[in-house]
């Protein structure tokens, strides 16, 4: 007897938020309190193959060539349920995923991970989705994943509908429209981190500064979009750095406080500001961890990279440029 085998493979790049998503208004559907803006990175990505088959009695996960952990499998299974329901095909799946994101160094792979998983699983089940529909699905795995569907500069509009049907991302400029450099700066770190999911929840629930975040994030977003459309690097850098610091300020007010900034983080922040004083435009942004991303113009990349590598706490600097959105591969990981 022949078996059913529905298979597809997708590749998605990760993205770095220039205006951060911080706080949910709906935990289950992953609906954000504020709109956000990111740039998709070319060098960090996830490749995922999903095979739906009638030979399995439960979902299976292979993560970087080893059996995936149970908690991750539970999350992935309930995410696949959304897609199974949409397609009306109720088969279990084998998910094989390879991360080319330095996760161990605190770089999030959930954005590229859920974008690739959403794309591969919907394709395997024959759902021919638009980018908008795919973005809505990816969002329900991890909020930032809805932006990785697209390449280049991307906005995630928070939307206002209760069912999340107007909360999705769209592209502002494609990856070839404006070249900037994003340096991923890894610093020495010892602490165990609060996940961004828990961190944002605690901030919304307990920080008196969260109101301040919400009251200015829209202005910052509009300013950033204008700078991107005008290819105005300095204006973009100014607002990116300011808004990242505001996000971290909300967390310092949470109970108990969440402090992602470490001594190495501060060392990099100071050096970036010094470089600027010496005539090299560079700006930092920081997510839910100690590592720093530094924005600069391609012509200054090697000088700035070198200046950062000289710092005692810097372990590694990886350069990226704006990268592509989700794409499908014909070779599978099985
Ligand atoms: C600081 O998208 O990882 O990187 O939706 O709970 O999965 P969940 O969170 P996630 O949070 C990203 C937080 C951030 C800012 C950003 O990427 O916008």
């Amino acid at each position: 007897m022949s078996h059913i085998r529905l298979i597809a493979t997708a590749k998605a790049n990760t993205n770095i938020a220039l205006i951060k998503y911080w706080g949910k208004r709906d935990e289950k559907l992953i609906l954000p309190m504020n709109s956000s803006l990111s740039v998709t990175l070319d060098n960090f990505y996830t490749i995922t193959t999903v095979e739906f088959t009638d030979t399995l009695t439960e979902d299976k996960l292979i993560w970087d060539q080893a059996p995936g952990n149970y908690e991750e499998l539970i999350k992935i299974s309930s995410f696949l349920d959304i897609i199974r329901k949409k397609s009306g095909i109720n088969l279990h799946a084998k998910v094989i995923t390879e991360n080319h994101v330095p996760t161990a160094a605190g770089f999030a792979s959930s954005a590229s991970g859920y974008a690739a998983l959403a794309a591969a699983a919907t394709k395997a089940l024959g759902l021919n989705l638009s980018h908008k529909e795919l973005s809505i699905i990816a969002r329900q795995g991890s909020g930032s994943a809805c932006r990785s569907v697209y390449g280049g500069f991307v906005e995630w509009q928070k939307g206002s509908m209760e069912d999340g049907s107007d909360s999705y991302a769209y592209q502002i400029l494609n990856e070839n429209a404006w070249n900037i450099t994003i340096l991923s700066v890894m610093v020495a770190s010892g602490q165990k981190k609060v996940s961004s999911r828990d961190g944002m929840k605690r901030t919304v629930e307990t920080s008196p500064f969260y109101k301040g975040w919400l009251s200015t994030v829209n202005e910052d977003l509009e300013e950033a979009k204008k700078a991107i459309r005008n290819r105005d690097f300095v204006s973009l850098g100014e607002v990116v750095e300011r808004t990242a610091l505001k996000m971290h300020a909300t967390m310092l007010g949470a109970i108990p406080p969440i402090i992602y900034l470490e001594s190495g983080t501060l060392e990099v922040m100071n050096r970036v500001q010094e470089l600027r004083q010496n005539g090299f435009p560079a700006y930092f942004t920081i997510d839910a961890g100690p590592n720093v991303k530094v924005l600069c113009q391609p012509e200054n990349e090697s000088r700035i990279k070198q200046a950062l590598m000289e710092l005692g706490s810097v372990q590694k600097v990886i350069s990226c440029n704006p990268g592509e959105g989700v794409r499908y591969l014909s070779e599978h990981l099985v």
Side-chain angles (χ1 to χ4, degrees):
M1 198 183 83
S2 68
H3 286 288
I4 303 173
R5 187 167 184 253
L6 304 169
I7 188 166
T9 298
K11 180 174 177 182
N13 291 359
T14 189
N15 69 75
I16 168 79
L18 302 175
I19 302 289
K20 311 292 180 187
Y21 142 52
W22 198 248
K24 295 181 179 67
R25 63 176 199 274
D26 184 314
E27 303 272 330
K28 190 168 181 302
L29 288 172
I30 311 199
L31 298 176
M33 294 287 264
N34 65 276
S35 297
S36 57
L37 188 150
S38 61
V39 57
T40 302
L41 303 181
D42 58 354
N43 287 335
F44 299 157
Y45 57 90
T46 301
I47 297 178
T48 296
T49 293
V50 182
E51 180 184 6
F52 290 92
T53 167
D54 56 355
T55 60
L56 290 173
T57 51
E58 56 187 9
D59 293 328
K60 237 180 114 176
L61 172 65
I62 311 287
W63 182 279
D64 289 338
Q65 291 167 5
N69 80 45
Y70 183 69
E71 248 172 62
E72 207 56 57
L73 175 63
I74 298 292
K75 273 175 71 180
I76 284 175
S77 279
S78 63
F79 180 68
L80 290 177
D81 286 343
I82 300 170
I83 297 168
R84 283 187 273 250
K85 197 168 160 209
K86 199 173 171 73
S87 69
I89 301 175
N90 213 1
L91 292 171
H92 290 293
K94 181 172 173 187
V95 174
I96 306 170
T97 190
E98 273 181 11
N99 282 292
H100 299 260
V101 181
T103 28
F107 283 77
S109 64
S110 68
S112 54
Y114 277 97
L117 180 62
T122 53
K123 182 88 172 175
L125 292 183
L127 291 167
N128 255 330
L129 302 184
S130 64
H131 273 42
K132 171 184 150 181
E133 291 169 308
L134 190 58
S135 180
I136 289 177
I137 293 196
R139 189 202 74 221
Q140 296 170 69
S142 181
S144 52
C146 79
R147 300 185 307 234
S148 272
V149 167
Y150 305 84
F153 296 85
V154 180
E155 180 183 352
W156 171 13
Q157 315 178 114
K158 70 184 179 81
S160 56
M161 308 281 282
E162 264 181 36
D163 65 357
S165 57
D166 60 350
S167 186
Y168 54 85
Y170 79 101
Q171 187 179 62
I172 297 173
L173 275 191
N174 76 36
E175 61 275 18
N176 303 312
W178 188 29
N179 196 20
I180 62 168
T181 298
I182 305 99
L183 300 173
S184 291
V185 186
M186 294 177 205
V187 299
S189 152
Q191 294 171 23
K192 186 160 169 17
K193 297 285 134 18
V194 179
S195 71
S196 45
R197 192 159 288 192
D198 295 343
M200 63 175 84
K201 186 168 194 288
R202 193 191 299 169
T203 305
V204 173
E205 287 170 357
T206 66
S207 175
F209 306 142
Y210 192 67
K211 280 205 283 299
W213 165 256
L214 288 182
S215 71
T216 61
V217 66
N218 271 341
E219 282 161 47
D220 290 346
L221 183 86
E222 289 309 317
E223 205 174 313
K225 277 202 291 198
K226 190 168 158 216
I228 290 169
R229 290 202 176 103
N230 294 334
R231 313 324 192 242
D232 178 347
F233 181 76
V234 169
S235 300
L236 179 64
E238 296 282 339
V239 67
V240 162
E241 201 172 287
R242 188 165 76 229
T243 184
L245 289 172
K246 284 191 221 177
M247 178 186 77
H248 283 273
T250 67
M251 305 177 202
L252 298 177
I255 306 170
I258 306 156
I259 310 174
Y260 289 117
L261 313 177
E262 296 187 26
S263 58
T265 319
L266 295 171
E267 199 185 14
V268 175
M269 289 160 69
N270 287 333
R271 177 54 64 93
V272 167
Q273 295 191 330
E274 238 170 59
L275 278 162
R276 224 152 57 214
Q277 276 155 16
N278 296 331
F280 291 98
Y283 296 89
F284 61 75
T285 184
I286 306 144
D287 284 332
N291 296 311
V292 186
K293 312 288 184 313
V294 176
L295 306 186
C296 65
Q297 290 157 303
E299 61 268 29
N300 296 323
E301 175 184 329
S302 59
R303 176 68 191 84
I304 291 171
K305 204 168 170 177
Q306 193 194 336
L308 295 171
M309 289 296 292
E310 280 165 10
L311 300 175
S313 56
V314 170
Q315 294 182 326
K316 207 171 176 182
V317 180
I318 307 175
S319 308
C320 290
N321 295 104
E324 295 172 78
V326 147
R327 54 257 185 235
Y328 300 95
L329 307 182
S330 51
E331 296 279 306
H332 305 304
L333 297 174
V334 271

